[in-house]
Amino acid sequence: MTTRHLLEIDDLTPGEIEVVLTLARAPQPAQVLAGSGVALVFEKPSARTRNSMEMAVVGLGGHPVTIRPDEVGLDTRETTEDVARTLACYHAVIGARVFEHSKLERMTAVVDVPVVNMLSDTSHPLQALADLLTIGDEFGELAGRSVAYVGDANNVARSLAIGVLATGGSFRLAHPDGYGFGDEDLARIGAAGDRVDISGDPARAVEGADVVYADVWTSMGQEAESARRRADFAGFGVDDALMSRAGSGAVFMHCLPAHRGEEVEASVLEGQASRVWPQARNRMAAARGVLEFLMEAGATVEQRT
């Protein structure tokens, strides 16, 4: 049996991304987790990820077990490898929300159950899949859509860029000096496609775009930098004037939580163009699609052997 994992969205081929999105839209998902447990390990707190993953597992007939950081202590109480091996004794899937992406990679090296990245310092594939679902719901076809991300080139931006390029869209990024992608990120994004435009000009990024996207300027673990970041990101907030430069019918998206008056004005977040709540709702559908795909992928290979 070949075990498939999802640590970054390009662990799926473009065709497999379409399969996951189709599974996510199924009104009656297959009960591929019936009688099985799914371990959900959280080093970082979460509202949307925990609730969407738990309910996705329930929707597939399984039983979610959420595990707090003090209950396992990755690399403090036990090694990450020992925790993963133990959880794999009881569960069909391990989901983990971690600080260091390398912990996910170490888990995949020692277990034969799927490992799902519920957020790491480099990537957030479940969010990107929910974003693609939302863009597809809005425009029908993903190919040819332009997505403008205004703000920090963080884990959300990286996975979104890869997902948009892999499905035939174009990605634009506007960020302040010092907040762009690193070389490894650019290489990974470049492998997905070359329809990328990166600048320090938010107006240039959103001009005629189908989607304008923002994220918080200070992510979890960066709280000590918040004052400096607010100063550095001045002029990179999404307001009505910036949205007016986007294309006709453009929508606004945000992965939440949102800081009104910083990266987005309340009038945009709660305005007619906002698709933030459908986007949040799609987190559960995306998680369901991923889990079903990973379980069926393993079962298909097993049946052939």
Side-chain angles (χ1 to χ4, degrees):
M1 175 177 176
T2 299
T3 301
R4 295 287 300 271
H5 307 284
L6 182 75
L7 302 194
E8 176 56 292
I9 190 168
D10 58 4
D11 286 340
L12 305 169
T13 67
E16 289 171 341
I17 291 175
E18 292 296 335
V19 171
V20 168
L21 298 182
T22 298
L23 292 172
R25 291 189 172 97
Q28 293 183 325
Q31 300 297 286
V32 295
L33 287 171
S36 300
V38 173
L40 304 175
V41 181
F42 286 85
E43 280 197 309
K44 293 182 173 183
S46 168
R48 277 156 295 280
T49 298
R50 175 179 174 180
N51 284 277
S52 61
M53 281 293 285
E54 287 191 354
M55 293 313 298
V57 172
V58 170
L60 296 170
H63 180 82
V65 177
T66 294
I67 302 163
R68 302 191 313 269
D70 59 305
E71 293 177 303
V72 290
L74 294 177
D75 290 336
T76 55
R77 187 162 172 261
E78 287 188 88
T79 68
T80 292
E81 287 84 353
D82 286 356
V83 171
R85 288 188 184 102
T86 301
L87 293 176
C89 294
Y90 319 127
H91 297 284
V93 179
I94 298 172
R97 185 177 175 91
V98 298
F99 286 100
E100 298 92 7
H101 189 82
S102 59
K103 288 180 179 174
L104 296 167
E105 296 171 331
R106 290 163 57 196
M107 287 182 178
T108 64
V110 297
V111 299
D112 58 2
V113 301
V115 175
V116 177
N117 178 4
M118 300 195 299
L119 182 142
S120 71
D121 55 349
T122 65
S123 55
H124 200 357
L126 291 177
Q127 180 64 58
L129 288 164
D131 297 340
L132 295 177
L133 268 177
T134 308
I135 296 169
D137 290 345
E138 187 67 27
F139 298 105
E141 293 291 330
L142 292 171
R145 296 301 167 189
S146 53
V147 177
Y149 183 102
V150 181
D152 191 10
N154 59 15
N155 47 3
V156 171
R158 167 177 143 143
S159 295
L160 178 64
I162 294 171
V164 167
L165 293 169
T167 52
S170 60
F171 184 80
R172 311 172 191 173
L173 167 67
H175 66 81
D177 288 343
Y179 294 93
F181 287 121
D183 292 341
E184 192 275 334
D185 298 320
L186 289 172
R188 195 80 177 249
I189 292 167
D194 59 2
R195 300 173 301 279
V196 181
D197 182 273
I198 300 176
S199 74
D201 184 355
R204 169 178 160 176
V206 307
E207 191 72 40
D210 295 306
V211 177
V212 178
Y213 199 113
D215 190 6
V216 294
W217 292 340
T218 303
S219 298
M220 280 184 288
Q222 300 171 331
E223 288 78 5
E225 306 173 12
S226 58
R228 175 170 59 81
R229 283 176 167 265
R230 279 196 296 273
D232 291 345
F233 280 87
F236 283 80
V238 178
D239 56 17
D240 290 310
L242 190 64
M243 279 299 298
S244 71
R245 303 182 74 99
S248 174
V251 299
F252 174 77
M253 294 173 61
H254 192 302
C255 55
L256 300 174
H259 294 171
R260 294 165 174 81
E262 291 191 7
E263 77 277 1
V264 61
E265 294 298 323
S267 59
V268 174
L269 189 74
E270 296 163 9
Q272 291 187 345
S274 176
R275 297 296 181 271
V276 170
W277 306 117
Q279 183 185 2
R281 187 182 309 121
N282 277 333
R283 288 291 308 275
M284 181 175 68
R288 199 170 57 217
V290 166
L291 292 170
E292 185 172 354
F293 174 83
L294 293 176
M295 294 301 295
E296 290 186 339
T300 300
V301 174
E302 191 172 42
Q303 288 166 3
R304 292 174 182 162
T305 58

